[in-house]
Amino acid sequence: MRTVKSSEITDRIAEMVVRANRILPRDVLQAISRAKTAEPSDAGREILGQLEDNAALARESGLPLCQDTGMAVFFVELGEQCRVDGASLHDAVTEGMIRGYRDGLLRKSMCHPLTRKNTGDNTPAVIHVDLVPGDGLKISFMAKGGGSENMSRVTMLSPAQGWRGIKEFVLGRVAEAGPNPCPPTMLGIGIGGSFELAPKLAKQALLRPLDQPHPDPEIARMEQELLEEINTLGIGPMGLGGDTTCLGVRINMAPCHIASLPLAVNVQCHSARHEEVLL
Amino acid sequence: MSREYSLQAPLRDEDVIHLKIGDRVLLSGIIYSARDAAHKKIIQALEEGTEPPFPLKGAVIYYVGPSPAPEGRPIGSAGPTTSYRMDSYTPRLHSLGVKATIGKGKRSQEVKDALVRHNAVYFGATGGAGALLSQRIVSSKIIAFEDLGPEAVRELVVRDFPLLVVNDAFGGELYAKPNLPD
């Protein structure tokens, strides 16, 4: 049995949430630069240039990339042979998040769903824990903004609708969302599982870098096909027209019930802030 | 053909009437931040017959909830939030003299009709460029609803704040229509 100190988890999380909010992942920045070269629309190229400038400024100045520093979403892979010593894993993660959002001058966006009273410290964090073999501890963090999250959907397709139905739904969603989620976006797509598992698959898929297609070549082909079709919609950067509507589609698939075909589309804005730590 | 204007807020009727979709505007002057919860409170104030937190005539409302200001800066990151959530409040505010709103994303037909009826415009700013846009904000002060935290109403002084006319007072809309396959 390996032991990890809860204080170490808290420290690493506090650093990670601040860094992730200031530094756009390399793969996203590269995708934006590549898109700028290929984008035929003048307005689109200009927007993509602003996004590059914004990323450079955030990195230098320490300002967050976006004022919406998000809900703090964590995916934890806890090895069965790993034990947390001190506070509970949940409290260690939450404490690190609170400290990072406070000291890093990140916006606290969480509130009561009906009274809308702000909780004041960005709690609660959304924490998913999976037990995995081994003695490792991996914690991935996403700063998930509200504007793109609001454009996300889950649906239960009929099995007969298959891949065609999936494509129709995804394209329809992207078209309907139009400029709202700050395109160019990334899409995390969860296919299969159950009603509650599909959205988790979808969000988790967004952690996979844009230069890493799915290891299953068939799923990788589906990701590419969807991306190409989305980019013929003509929505473009900020919805002002052009070819760069989406920078990448990431699919996670899981077996489902014989009666069902759950499908979730998690929309991620271009400010795709995520990072992971291994402890 | 899109043109470029430098305008001073608060805006007058004659500032707005020339603007067409695709025009670029560098806005300077005083604007007000307000988003979901603040809008609800402003409308409540109007229903109760009390004064809104800022003069509505000629006002420009920026849909923004900034991140906290670092030492020595007026404001943190401050890009636009998605506008449709304010749609149910916007026509009323235009009827009382608000000349422009700043946000990102599509507006309802009711808002577009209100722009035409009251000679007003909807400006788009680049979403997710909050660090960059904050550089054009010279000062910021909370003037109402401090308890709302990031959603408090702020008086912002901006200099050459870069905007694009997305919906004009003639019913035009700049956003691309998606080519959906049949």
Side-chain angles (χ1 to χ4, degrees):
Chain A
M1 200 60 134
R2 190 171 75 97
T3 341
V4 177
K5 278 205 196 113
S6 66
S7 59
E8 194 191 340
I9 297 174
T10 298
D11 292 347
R12 297 287 295 276
I13 299 268
E15 288 163 23
M16 172 166 71
V17 298
V18 176
R19 213 171 37 239
N21 267 293
R22 291 175 179 173
I23 299 171
L24 200 59
R26 184 192 43 83
D27 59 303
V28 180
L29 205 49
Q30 277 174 352
I32 291 174
S33 302
R34 257 201 313 275
K36 195 178 74 168
T37 315
E39 176 55 58
S41 133
D42 292 341
R45 275 197 311 279
E46 192 182 322
I47 296 284
L48 294 167
Q50 287 175 12
L51 301 186
E52 287 178 325
D53 293 347
N54 187 68
L57 180 65
R59 183 186 285 266
E60 287 158 21
S61 69
L63 284 167
L65 288 149
C66 178
Q67 73 288 340
D68 185 352
T69 52
M71 284 183 285
V73 180
F74 295 92
F75 290 97
V76 180
E77 288 176 28
L78 175 66
E80 283 162 337
Q81 306 301 318
C82 178
R83 203 175 65 83
V84 177
D85 188 32
S88 71
L89 173 65
H90 181 275
D91 289 355
V93 171
T94 301
E95 188 52 38
M97 186 279 288
I98 292 174
R99 200 201 296 167
Y101 271 71
R102 183 189 60 215
D103 299 347
L105 298 174
L106 305 178
R107 195 181 83 184
K108 275 63 91 181
S109 303
M110 301 299 277
C111 68
H112 185 283
L114 297 178
T115 66
R116 312 305 296 179
K117 186 177 162 40
N118 199 296
T119 63
D121 55 8
N122 219 42
T123 56
V126 180
I127 306 173
H128 303 281
V129 182
D130 285 318
L131 279 178
V132 297
D135 65 358
L137 174 58
K138 183 168 109 176
I139 305 179
S140 305
F141 163 71
M142 289 172 82
K144 193 66 182 73
S148 60
E149 189 84 343
N150 283 345
M151 297 296 112
S152 303
R153 291 294 183 270
V154 57
T155 187
M156 305 300 282
L157 297 179
S158 149
Q161 288 175 276
W163 174 233
R164 192 189 160 91
I166 290 168
K167 283 208 297 186
E168 258 173 28
F169 184 81
V170 174
L171 284 168
R173 267 321 295 159
V174 175
E176 195 187 330
N180 293 4
C182 289
T185 55
M186 277 137 268
L187 296 186
I189 296 182
I191 301 174
S194 53
F195 176 76
E196 82 283 6
L197 183 56
K200 187 184 168 198
L201 291 171
K203 188 161 277 179
Q204 230 165 352
L206 289 168
L207 295 173
R208 185 149 42 85
L210 289 167
D211 46 13
Q212 246 179 57
H214 198 283
D216 177 335
E218 179 57 16
I219 298 178
R221 192 191 57 73
M222 291 160 71
E223 291 177 344
Q224 189 56 29
E225 185 177 327
L226 260 175
L227 176 65
E228 284 168 16
E229 293 194 23
I230 288 166
N231 283 335
T232 62
L233 288 173
I235 295 167
M238 288 302 133
L240 298 172
D243 289 351
T244 318
T245 302
C246 185
L247 296 172
V249 175
R250 289 291 171 254
I251 297 176
N252 273 350
M253 226 189 283
C256 58
H257 190 280
I258 48 172
S260 303
L261 178 46
L263 171 64
V265 183
N266 196 203
V267 182
Q268 170 60 56
C269 63
H270 60 77
S271 202
R273 297 148 294 175
H274 58 88
E275 205 176 304
E276 64 179 46
V277 287
L278 285 168
L279 287 123
Chain B
M1 200 51 204
S2 74
R3 299 154 301 178
E4 226 177 278
Y5 295 94
S6 286
L7 295 177
Q8 189 74 27
L11 295 173
R12 303 160 304 170
D13 271 324
E14 54 266 44
D15 296 324
V16 170
I17 196 71
H18 304 291
L19 299 177
K20 297 268 175 61
I21 56 167
D23 285 350
R24 291 150 189 281
V25 169
L26 291 173
L27 186 69
S28 299
I30 295 173
I31 66 176
Y32 301 95
S33 77
R35 42 173 293 157
D36 311 60
H39 270 73
K40 193 171 178 191
K41 288 200 170 205
I42 292 169
I43 295 292
Q44 250 166 19
L46 293 170
E47 310 267 281
E48 288 160 7
T50 51
E51 283 293 306
F54 53 87
L56 297 181
K57 198 169 156 37
V60 178
I61 297 177
Y62 184 18
Y63 302 142
V64 60
S67 65
E71 185 86 24
R73 282 180 186 269
I75 202 163
S77 258
T81 196
T82 326
S83 306
Y84 72 87
R85 298 193 311 269
M86 272 56 77
D87 280 357
S88 57
Y89 310 109
T90 307
R92 173 98 188 261
L93 296 174
H94 282 312
S95 78
L96 296 170
V98 169
K99 281 285 128 194
T101 58
I102 302 170
K104 61 158 174 106
K106 291 179 282 192
R107 305 310 301 261
S108 67
Q109 193 54 50
E110 289 73 24
V111 172
K112 295 178 208 172
D113 293 345
L115 297 178
V116 176
R117 202 172 321 120
H118 303 293
N119 179 38
V121 293
Y122 168 53
F123 290 121
T126 302
L132 201 61
L133 288 169
S134 75
Q135 309 297 301
R136 307 291 177 98
I137 298 174
V138 181
S139 76
S140 161
K141 136 177 121 191
I142 293 182
I143 56 167
F145 316 142
E146 189 157 10
D147 56 308
L148 294 180
E151 294 195 80
V153 171
R154 290 170 170 78
E155 184 186 276
L156 304 173
V157 177
V158 293
R159 190 173 300 143
D160 292 335
F161 198 83
L163 301 170
L164 202 51
V165 178
V166 170
N167 289 101
D168 60 25
F170 308 95
E173 169 158 337
L174 185 65
Y175 287 135
K177 296 241 183 321
N179 331 299
L180 258 190
D182 297 326

